[in-house]
Amino acid sequence: MDAEKLAAEAAARGDKAGETYWLHVLKLVNEAPPLGPETVARLQVLIWTDPEPHSTAA
């Protein structure tokens, strides 16, 4: 997800609230300190990925 792109899309639709929201998200992300290796390792445990994608077709 790219907050800058989403803000631009909201602005193009005339959605000022959406644009303001995504610009705020972008500001917070840019101000956040970088994650250290220990924090990254902890977060990776929380992110589940399916090693074998399953087809939804019957």
Side-chain angles (χ1 to χ4, degrees):
M1 174 174 43
D2 183 353
E4 190 171 8
K5 179 182 173 189
L6 293 170
E9 290 173 0
R13 291 190 310 268
D15 179 5
K16 288 304 244 177
E19 179 186 17
T20 301
Y21 172 80
W22 288 114
L23 290 175
H24 180 69
V25 168
L26 180 63
K27 179 182 174 218
L28 292 175
V29 168
N30 288 337
E31 291 176 354
L35 299 176
E38 184 177 321
T39 305
V40 171
R42 284 184 184 174
L43 292 172
Q44 285 175 338
V45 170
L46 299 175
I47 300 171
W48 179 80
T49 57
D50 189 355
E52 287 187 35
H54 301 282
S55 173
T56 57

